[in-house]
Each structure stands twice: as structure tokens, then as C-alpha cells.
Amino acid sequence: MNLWTIAVFEFQRYFKWKQEIISIGLMLLSLVLMSAWPLVKTWLDNDYKIALVSSASAPKISGFTISQIPADSAETALSGLGEVWDLVVQVEDDKLVMTAESSASWQEKITPELQNWLQKQRISQLPLSAEQKKIVDSLPETQLVFLKKDSAKQNKEQQMVSGGLLILLGIGVFSGFGFMFTAITTEKQQRVTEQLLTLISTKEWIDGKILGISLFCLKSMVTTGLFLYLMIQAVSLMKGKGMFVLPITALELASALLFVSLGLLLINSFMAGFAATIDDPNHSSRSIIMFLPTVPLGVVFSAMDNAEGTLMHILSLFPLTSFAAMPMRMASVSVPWWEWILSLLLLIACLFWLKNAASRVFELGIRMYGKEPEWSLLMKTFLFARVKE
């Protein structure tokens, strides 16, 4: 009963209805603005006026109005820089000479376009046959043949889902880091925990805190995921592609939620135990250790470009990375049922061990004031058993 009471308290400590409604309203407003942004940008962007001194046909570049002028008008065009023209482009000995009144960011956009245009002009002047020029101008064609229909489209969509899952996990992990670090170090400094531990056990207190903050992290992930989904829908509808359907089944989604939830409990258990050992967050050099749980996300991110590979296979079974790797692997390939069960059992066993280890560290750290426990004592408590200081 105490466990659930503490969990509800920790969840409601950060969950405010009014704030949630305002956040959702702001997200919807952002969605509308982002959807309309391409139209607004096109409408507001200036069309820069370019004078091109060349007899060859001028290229068409979005955002620029390029006019061809004869060579004898170059001096006149140069004298009109800043008033009539934004840029005067001359070709001298196969070299582009671009003259502007001053440096500007838009010049970086037009430079490679003009280089490509000049390169094509140079190729067209070579004594090549029409067929040879066509070969030089175009890249070799490639053709990938898939036995399963629509597999290329599905692969892109699955990569998008995997990337989205990793981003959401990052949001959940960093949310837990912030809330756990602030809550525990503040309560320790104000001696709040010391008073509470006269009424409840250390295990009940840390378990309730881990559960409540993990639920709030999960809520943040679901809210952000919903916003991203709506944004994708808006982009899809704007492009006339109809409703976007996530390439993931209900079973895979439930599996992802299960692994992510266990992963959040795992990470927040580590954070809760270690945060209790920090006496003053403003001066402790140990705060950097709190970023350690982000390492599994980085490792999975480095391997997600090959979801079918051996590395991803191992990461989806290893309990410290499976909470991130298994949902991504399931979004891309078919996973044997026994691997899914083995991965889940290993993750639960690791969570059970880490939660007990974190409870011991929490109990050690929360009762020490004025100094932080030594690393040797910390490791002994974390790995083996409760140590009385």
C-alpha cells in the first residue's frame, strides 16, 4: 500500500492537468505552424536577382531570379550591385567570378548550383558524341530487386519508426535523470528523507519513487510520440499521400511498451541509488556518473543501421541494452519467439538485481551527511551486500 501511495505521490508531483493541457495546446499550435511553415517561407523568402554574363542558357534555381546579360553590359551590371543586382556572375577562363556587395549566407546556397551549371557547360564543349556526353552527364543506373513487394518502402518506414523509438527513449531517460537527481539530492539536503524513513522502510520509499517517476517518464514519451505521429500525419496529408499507417503491429507496439517500461525502471533504479550518494550536486564530481545510463542508447544508435546484424542480435539479448535494441529489432526484422522470451527474462532478472543493489546503495547514501561514501564502499555495497557504516 505504501509503495503505491508513494508512486502516486511522485507521479502527481510532476503531473499537472493544467500544465498538460497547455503543453498539448502548444504542441498542436506548433503542429499547425510547422505545417504552414513551407508556404510562409516561400512567401516571405526574397528572390535574389542574379546577373549572369554568359551566352549559355541560365540555370533555374529556387529562390533566385537569374537573368542573362551580354558581355558588354557587365560593367553596367557591376555598377548596379546592391541596387539592381544582388550578384553578378562572370565566366573567365572556365572560372566563375562572382561579385557581390558584401558576404551573405545565401551565396553558399547558389555557389554549388552555379558550379554544377558551369561543369555541364564545360562538358558540352568537349569533342564528345551525344552518346558520350550523356554517359558523362548521368550516373550509372542501379536496380535492386526485392522478392517481397513494397519491402523498400517498408524498410524506410521501419527505419523511421526505429529512429523515433530511440528519440522517445532518450526523452524518457533524460526526464528520469532530471527528476530523480533533483528530487533525491534536494530531499537529502533538506533532511526530508530522514524523517520519512521513520515511518516507512527504505525499500518502500525508493521503490515508490522509482515507479512514480518511471510512470511520468513513460507518460512524457507517449505524449511526445503522439505529437510526432500527428506531425507525420500532417506532412503526409500535405503531400497528398493520405493517412500514414505505422508499419508496426499492435503486438509489436505492446512489446515495445513492455521493454521500454522495464528499461525505464532499470535506468531509474540506477539513478535513484547513485543520486543518494551525492551530498551536494553543485560541487560533487560524481554527477557525471548519472549520464552513464545514456551509454546503452548510444551503443544501440551506432548499431541501428544494421538491424539484421550480429551486433544488434547480441544487443537485443544483453539486458542492459535489450530494452532499446529489442523494440528496434522487432520493428525491422522478425524475431524468433524464444529470443524474445529469453531477452525479456534476462531483462527482468537484471532489473530485479539492479533494484535490490540500488536499494542498498540508496540506504547507504541517504544516511550519510557531510561526506560521500568512498568508491570502494560504494562498489562493495552495490555488488555484494548491505554494509553498515
Side-chain angles (χ1 to χ4, degrees):
M1 184 63 185
N2 282 336
L3 170 65
W4 187 244
T5 303
I6 297 167
V8 171
F9 165 75
E10 287 293 338
F11 182 81
Q12 291 181 340
R13 184 178 183 179
Y14 301 106
F15 185 83
K16 309 295 180 189
W17 277 109
K18 187 182 293 184
Q19 183 177 322
E20 287 297 315
I21 292 172
I22 293 173
S23 299
I24 293 171
L26 288 174
M27 283 195 292
L28 291 175
L29 180 62
S30 302
L31 178 65
V32 173
L33 291 176
M34 288 175 68
S35 302
W37 180 244
L39 297 174
V40 176
K41 188 173 184 297
T42 305
W43 182 53
L44 292 178
D45 261 357
N46 292 328
D47 265 354
Y48 296 100
K49 295 179 180 177
I50 313 297
L52 177 62
V53 185
S54 173
S55 57
S57 58
K60 291 182 180 178
I61 305 173
S62 176
F64 299 91
T65 302
I66 303 177
S67 303
Q68 284 180 269
I69 61 172
D72 55 4
S73 301
E75 290 299 326
T76 307
L78 289 170
S79 63
L81 272 173
E83 295 179 359
V84 182
W85 305 105
D86 295 299
L87 186 73
V88 175
V89 181
Q90 297 170 282
V91 181
E92 296 179 357
D93 300 328
D94 285 343
K95 179 181 175 184
L96 276 174
V97 179
M98 297 185 290
T99 309
E101 190 176 38
S102 58
S103 176
S105 58
W106 55 267
Q107 292 159 5
E108 295 180 5
K109 178 183 175 184
I110 195 173
T111 299
E113 299 285 350
L114 289 174
Q115 284 177 314
N116 288 333
W117 168 80
L118 182 59
Q119 178 70 1
K120 289 181 181 177
Q121 301 304 318
R122 294 165 65 186
I123 292 173
S124 66
Q125 293 171 3
L126 293 175
L128 300 174
S129 65
E131 187 177 353
Q132 288 172 325
K133 289 179 181 177
K134 186 178 179 181
I135 292 173
V136 172
D137 282 339
S138 56
L139 293 171
E141 291 185 2
T142 59
Q143 184 180 9
L144 276 172
V145 180
F146 302 105
L147 297 180
K148 293 182 179 178
K149 291 183 179 179
D150 299 329
S151 59
K153 181 184 175 185
Q154 286 178 2
N155 188 39
K156 288 183 180 177
E157 293 173 347
Q158 285 162 352
Q159 286 178 353
M160 187 173 66
V161 170
S162 299
L165 276 173
L166 198 61
I167 292 172
L168 294 178
L169 261 174
I171 291 172
V173 170
F174 280 104
S175 298
F177 166 79
F179 295 135
M180 199 68 78
F181 189 70
T182 306
I184 291 181
T185 54
T186 304
E187 289 164 358
K188 184 180 177 183
Q189 286 184 320
Q190 296 176 351
R191 301 285 181 99
V192 174
T193 310
E194 192 177 44
Q195 297 172 28
L196 286 170
L197 293 182
T198 61
L199 302 173
I200 56 177
S201 69
T202 309
K203 189 174 183 304
E204 285 177 324
W205 178 236
I206 188 174
D207 286 353
K209 191 175 285 292
I210 291 169
L211 182 60
I213 291 181
S214 296
L215 284 173
F216 187 79
C217 293
L218 190 62
K219 192 278 313 172
S220 299
M221 290 176 61
V222 171
T223 306
T224 309
L226 186 61
F227 170 68
L228 290 175
Y229 179 70
L230 289 175
M231 193 167 65
I232 293 171
Q233 288 290 8
V235 173
S236 179
L237 290 174
M238 279 181 61
K239 291 183 176 180
K241 295 181 179 179
M243 294 291 287
F244 175 77
V245 180
L246 284 173
I248 184 170
T249 64
L251 190 60
E252 290 170 345
L253 185 62
S255 169
L257 280 174
L258 177 61
F259 272 87
V260 167
S261 301
L262 292 173
L264 287 175
L265 289 172
L266 187 79
I267 289 173
N268 286 332
S269 297
F270 172 83
M271 288 184 176
F274 198 81
T277 68
I278 296 174
D279 203 48
D280 185 351
N282 296 317
H283 300 94
S284 176
S285 60
R286 295 182 178 181
S287 302
I288 193 69
I289 303 296
M290 295 287 284
F291 286 98
L292 204 58
T294 59
V295 173
L297 298 185
V299 173
V300 173
F301 176 76
S302 67
M304 65 180 291
D305 61 337
N306 185 13
E308 300 84 359
T310 305
L311 178 59
M312 200 64 169
H313 197 100
I314 295 170
L315 292 177
S316 65
L317 295 176
F318 187 59
L320 294 181
T321 54
S322 61
F323 66 90
M326 181 56 83
M328 289 182 198
R329 194 174 159 216
M330 288 188 69
S332 302
V333 297
S334 177
V335 178
W337 64 268
W338 64 268
E339 285 190 18
W340 186 88
I341 292 177
L342 178 62
S343 176
L344 183 63
L345 291 177
L346 288 173
L347 179 57
I348 291 174
C350 182
L351 172 62
F352 181 76
W353 173 80
L354 187 63
K355 191 177 72 62
N356 287 331
S359 297
R360 295 195 297 269
V361 174
F362 182 83
E363 186 177 355
L364 170 70
I366 209 69
R367 295 179 187 279
M368 295 184 70
Y369 295 95
K371 70 170 186 177
E372 295 176 344
E374 296 178 356
W375 282 105
S376 57
L377 179 63
L378 199 59
M379 290 304 295
K380 188 177 179 181
T381 308
F382 184 76
L383 293 175
F384 303 110
R386 183 174 289 105
V387 176
K388 292 186 178 179
E389 179 68 0

